[in-house]
Amino acid sequence: MRKPLIAGNWKMYKVPSEAELFAKELKNMPAYGDRDIVVCVPFPAISGVRRILAETGIFVGAQNVYPAKEGAYTGEVSPLMLKDAGVLFVICGHSERRQIFNETDDFIAEKVKAVIDYEMTPVLCIGETLKQNEAGETFTVIEKQLKTGLRHISGDAIRKIIIAYEPVWAIGTGKNATPQQAQTVHRFIRKFIEQNYGQVARDVRILYGGSVKPENIDDLMCEEDIDGALVGGASLRFESFSRIVGFQKK
Ligand code: PGA
């Protein structure tokens, strides 16, 4: 059984004092035993938010990492630093990092490995652009991103990974993939994992991301291969995030 997971991605929003106020508000969410909740917060807010959310069952995640333990990498943050700060989940290869910062599948693969090496959970983001979607290239793109992004992951380590399917055309646009569209790609992803890693594919959580909101979460969660959501904009406000976290399968 795969435990559903709702992850908020705050992106570059909320200064640390705002983040801490928001974390205090999040403590008012009901406790759910049947789903995991994560907030991926900006680096400067990690310690403060983590302190506030300790013992709430809400986990703290990071939005990026540099794949080296330490070194002369001005401005970067290592997996060791994240681990020590109490981070459990790390987003790797978000489409904004791919597009704005030119991150390649090879570099993202190193991040995924580094996160695993430090016993945290990578959330590997993949997804096609509008142009690729319209050209009918969705599956080719997804397959390449998976193949390369997971190239250092062998055998059972795949269990420790979360995949987030985020069609780029749906991110921050208000235009989400329909549950059926998402399900088709999620099924493809699970098949890929099964072909490459075997039956363990049944245990790997695959999240959907891209304009997830209170109005569409319940339908998305009804799909067999959608195990949760990576939520951007709607994770920044209590009402919308708590409603998404409290999804009900119809
Ligand atoms: P969105 O972002 O929910 O605002 O579309 C999702 C994401 O970028 O992870």
Side-chain angles (χ1 to χ4, degrees):
M1 269 301 278
R2 301 184 296 271
K3 194 175 186 185
L5 184 151
I6 303 292
N9 171 13
W10 294 2
K11 308 194 179 184
M12 200 173 73
Y13 291 100
K14 298 188 190 293
V15 299
S17 55
E18 289 168 333
E20 289 180 26
L21 277 179
F22 189 49
K24 283 182 188 149
E25 224 181 323
L26 291 178
K27 286 172 92 172
N28 298 322
M29 285 201 296
Y32 295 97
D34 64 345
R35 56 200 70 183
D36 287 332
I37 308 168
V38 184
V39 285
C40 299
V41 310
F43 290 137
I46 287 174
S47 319
V49 168
R50 150 110 174 113
R51 197 173 6 88
I52 291 161
L53 295 180
E55 288 158 40
T56 58
I58 304 175
F59 304 119
V60 175
Q63 301 170 18
N64 189 25
V65 66
Y66 188 84
K69 180 183 170 200
E70 60 187 8
Y73 301 102
T74 302
E76 294 297 324
V77 174
S78 82
L80 181 63
M81 293 168 181
L82 294 178
K83 177 84 183 174
D84 189 70
V87 163
L88 293 179
F89 295 80
V90 184
I91 296 176
C92 301
H94 189 279
S95 66
E96 285 150 17
R97 300 226 47 99
R98 292 174 186 265
Q99 296 198 317
I100 307 168
F101 303 100
N102 299 318
E103 289 193 6
T104 62
D105 285 320
D106 286 315
F107 188 43
I108 293 161
E110 286 182 44
K111 296 183 182 211
V112 169
K113 179 176 186 304
V115 172
I116 295 268
D117 287 347
Y118 284 87
E119 293 171 342
M120 297 176 289
T121 302
V123 180
L124 170 62
C125 296
I126 55 175
E128 82 286 5
T129 62
L130 181 62
K131 207 165 146 212
Q132 292 165 331
N133 182 282
E134 287 173 351
E137 293 166 3
T138 300
F139 295 122
T140 325
V141 170
I142 296 292
E143 186 165 357
K144 176 175 176 290
Q145 290 174 337
L146 283 172
K147 216 177 226 156
T148 314
L150 296 174
R151 67 148 48 117
H152 303 302
I153 304 305
S154 52
D156 249 25
I158 192 74
R159 270 181 206 284
K160 302 177 190 151
I161 290 188
I162 292 174
I163 309 285
Y165 169 56
E166 299 204 300
V168 179
W169 48 271
I171 294 178
T173 57
K175 201 171 129 189
N176 61 288
T178 65
Q180 295 71 31
Q181 278 173 322
Q183 164 61 25
T184 308
V185 180
H186 282 226
R187 173 55 58 92
F188 177 84
I189 295 169
R190 201 174 304 286
K191 273 254 148 60
F192 173 93
I193 299 171
E194 194 184 316
Q195 280 158 7
N196 290 275
Y197 298 90
Q199 288 303 316
V200 65
R202 275 185 286 189
D203 301 331
V204 175
R205 289 187 283 189
I206 307 174
L207 314 181
Y208 168 76
S211 297
V212 172
K213 36 195 177 223
E215 298 77 39
N216 57 26
I217 186 69
D218 293 346
D219 288 333
L220 285 162
M221 292 305 293
C222 286
E223 298 295 334
E224 199 183 328
D225 291 289
I226 300 184
D227 306 313
L230 182 55
V231 189
S235 74
L236 295 169
R237 286 181 305 109
F238 182 80
E239 303 72 48
S240 45
F241 190 58
S242 59
R243 171 63 186 84
I244 291 170
V245 165
F247 72 84
Q248 303 272 347
K249 293 195 185 190
K250 283 182 180 162

